[in-house]
Structure formats: C-alpha cells, structure tokens
Amino acid sequence: MKLYYSPGACSMASHVVLHEIGKPFEIEKVSTKTKVMESGRDYWAINPKGAVPALELDGGEVLTEGSAILQYIADTNGATDLAPPAGTLARARVQEMLSFIGSELHKSFSPLFHPGKTDAEKDAAREVLQKKFEWLESRLADGRAYLTGSNFTVADAYAFVVTNWSNVTGVSLEAWPKLKDYVARVGARPSVQAAMKAEGLI
C-alpha cells in the first residue's frame, strides 16, 4: 500500500494506523497548495478531489476519504482493536466518533487555516471549537483512556491529529485537562511518534 500525505494534515491519522498494524507500506508527500507530489507527478491524477489522504492499494485501486481509509486498513488486517467488527455497537461507536471528528471538529478548524478569513471570523471559529472540546472532555470524564473505551481505535488516531492542530492555531487546551492529557497520551504512542518523525514534524 502507498499513502499520499501532507505533513501534519488529516492524512497523518492514516499514517499512524498504518504504523499500528505493522505491515510494510510506502508514503509520498503531496503539496496541498500546488498538488504536486514529491516525485514531481501531478496529484490530481491520483485523486481528482485534490485532497489527502489517498491510499493506493496493491492492485492499483485508489481509496480516498480518511474515515474510509482508516476503517479499510483496520478491517483488511484483522485489527479489531482498531476497528471492532461491523454490525456491533462498538463499531457503531467508533463510526460515531469518526463522523463527529470529520464533520464537526475537523471542519471547525478550517477557518483558522484559511488566509482569507478575518480575525473576527477566526475568533468565531475558536468559540465553536470550544464547544466541540467541551463535548470531548465530557467523553473522557469517566476516566477512559480513549474516546470509545479502553482500546485505541482509528477514531483516536483521527481525533489526535485534528485536536493537535490547536498547537498551530492559537487554541489552548488548558480549559480541558482530560482532553489535554488524552492528546499527550496518544501522542506518546510509538505509531504516532513514528508517523510524526517520518513527516518531519519531530
């Protein structure tokens, strides 16, 4: 398998999960601005949507959309801790979190990366993020190690990457101590450290 990624982008969640399963894979960096890959090739030819991640499978097919890629990696490698079996409530809970992270948390950060947004618009985005962080804090209030319980799942990989954007967007996690501890805990996993090192982030 080959993962197309941009350093620190949401594609890092797929990168982390690839390290979690411990099987060989390749990576290629993509410029999200120019849509040119490290090899000089045109990324539009890989993913006509122009976004990362994209996962090129051994047979040549390309899978896009982070949540789909995360679940595919886990499912095709028998990683039931990362993604519980389909049809179980545990799997639905992981999908519930993936949906929240993608449609609520991830999108709430978008204005903070947009150069055309005014300071007022960015302040409004930070206020929205506070509500999302409050909900995540409440999920962790019972002392669970990860978002859906005691096991690290694909949802945690995605949540870590997105929440960690707080470091580069001026959003402090000090008001949410359990969430802050969670980010540190996930960030210390060998898979996360390996992905971040490979992407030149540490």
Side-chain angles (χ1 to χ4, degrees), residues 114-183:
H114 196 293
K117 297 296 182 182
T118 65
D119 287 344
E121 288 171 322
K122 291 184 178 183
D123 286 343
R126 291 187 182 98
E127 287 183 19
V128 171
L129 275 170
Q130 289 177 3
K131 296 293 185 184
K132 312 303 180 190
F133 287 159
E134 284 173 15
W135 188 80
L136 287 172
E137 182 81 0
S138 72
R139 290 289 296 173
L140 299 164
D142 61 3
R144 65 182 63 191
Y146 301 107
L147 292 179
T148 59
S150 59
N151 288 335
F152 175 85
T153 73
V154 294
D156 295 296
Y158 191 8
F160 166 78
V161 172
V162 175
T163 307
N164 202 45
W165 291 341
S166 59
N167 290 323
V168 294
T169 55
V171 181
S172 172
L173 296 180
E174 291 300 323
W176 305 281
K178 292 187 183 300
L179 180 59
K180 183 180 178 183
D181 288 347
Y182 164 80
V183 171

Side-chain angles (χ1 to χ4, degrees), residues 4 30 35 37 42-56 62-66 69:
Y4 296 91
V30 177
K35 310 301 181 186
M37 296 181 280
D42 181 5
Y43 184 60
W44 290 110
I46 300 294
N47 182 4
K49 301 173 191 172
V52 292
L55 185 69
E56 188 173 343
V62 175
L63 184 63
T64 62
E65 301 300 329
I69 291 171

